[in-house]
Amino acid sequence: MSAPAANAVNTQPLDLEAYEALDLPTLGRRVQAVRDTMGSRLLILGHHYQRNEAIAFSDLQGDSYKLSASAAADASCEAIVFCGVHFMAETADILANRPEQLERRAGRRIPVVLPDLAAGCPMADMADIDQVEECWRQLGSVIDLDEVTPVTYINSAANLKAFCGRHGGIVCTSSNARAVLDWALARRPRVLFFPDQHLGRNTALAMGVPPEAMPLWDPDQPELGGNTEEAIRGGRVLLWRGHCYVHQFFLPEHAAWFKQADPDVKLIVHPECMKEVVEQANVVGSTGAIVQAIESAPPGTRWAVGTELHLVNRLKEAHPEQAIYFLSPTIASCRTMSRIDLPHLCWALENLAAGTPVNVVRVPDAIAQDALVALQRMLEVSR
Ligand code: 13P
Ligand code: SF4
């Protein structure tokens, strides 16, 4: 099958199966052909955890915050293809198609395409709207809800962001969680933080919130998430029992091993790691902060890095002048992120160019409107 002309008029989307039979050089040439034809009308965003072949064809690479801010800022492109996971595409849709941008473009929407719709985030799936509504209802029977700001990690479905928008809450990413929690706790005395307990706990501990003021809400427990009323009343940062499985492969003993094997090694980890790992780290930061710290370090620096494998391997290749080790002996890679392979990317791009876009992620207007409130609060706080 040959690449369709960019202006070909198709009525049926091209079939994915045919792409899976193609070799990588062919797929690469065809992806590049669509990029050349569409030029600045096409924006391909790539999260740092993506496979190399997706990163190689992305116009912009970054962490969740940088990519969201780019989707919010770019008014000139005609389509966004997101090499990331589902919540990232939803966020890009909400921000790129917010009312002021639609008005500026005379109503024209920017379709946001996720090349494989099965690229989700298992951590985001650990909190759903019914569970969060039920938690809120139960909390209301013990504490005054006017005292609570709901904060959702950006790794969450759009309807949870909308929940935060409706209840005076906000979104955070791993790069601005501290600023967001400072903002939230300056307004109201308590926060309900979901879905990542580790990001919430690590950030609140760094702010001086004591562990006993962070009850853990387990959505599978029928009463108060498994807590006593007293624990909830004493809570300042109520944490949701969710986690990123990728970052649970980094264990305290791995950190301790590196430290004793090489006392000068710098431990740099993502805040989705458990607190016993974070406590031993020299640097804790988002993927963007990890990239920046390593890029700006002097030659000869030795690092043990606790974050997703694709990023660490790319850092190793890009910085042969530094010694970069993977913190875990286990392969800690994000399987859902990796679903965006070259056949899916090529299939999605050629369909876009042919006028038969596939896998367009479109957040319903009512949800987008409330979610935007919480996202804009975040962009204000971390501007
Ligand atoms: P950041 O992009 O904020 O570093 O988060 C990492 C991550 O797990 C994305 O899913
Ligand atoms: Fe979700 Fe973890 Fe994968 Fe990020 S790395 S998308 S948090 S499962």
Side-chain angles (χ1 to χ4, degrees), residues 47 49 64 84-88 120-124 153 155 196 243-247 270 272 307-308 333-337:
H47 188 271
Y49 292 162
S64 305
V85 288
H86 195 264
F87 73 81
M88 297 178 184
C121 167
M123 182 225 278
Y153 191 19
N155 299 38
D196 185 19
H243 64 270
C244 164
Y245 74 93
V246 177
H247 288 89
H270 196 277
E272 289 173 13
T307 199
E308 208 269 353
S333 108
C334 181
R335 289 191 292 271
T336 44
M337 202 59 93

Side-chain angles (χ1 to χ4, degrees), residues 313-335:
N313 282 343
R314 266 199 304 279
L315 283 167
K316 275 187 201 177
E317 271 174 38
H319 297 285
E321 79 287 3
Q322 301 186 32
I324 298 175
Y325 309 103
F326 194 57
L327 181 57
S328 173
T330 310
I331 294 173
S333 108
C334 181
R335 289 191 292 271

Side-chain angles (χ1 to χ4, degrees), residues 25 30 57 69 245 274 282 352 376:
R30 287 171 57 165
F57 292 110
Y245 74 93
M274 61 186 79
N282 301 88
L352 198 60
Q376 278 179 323

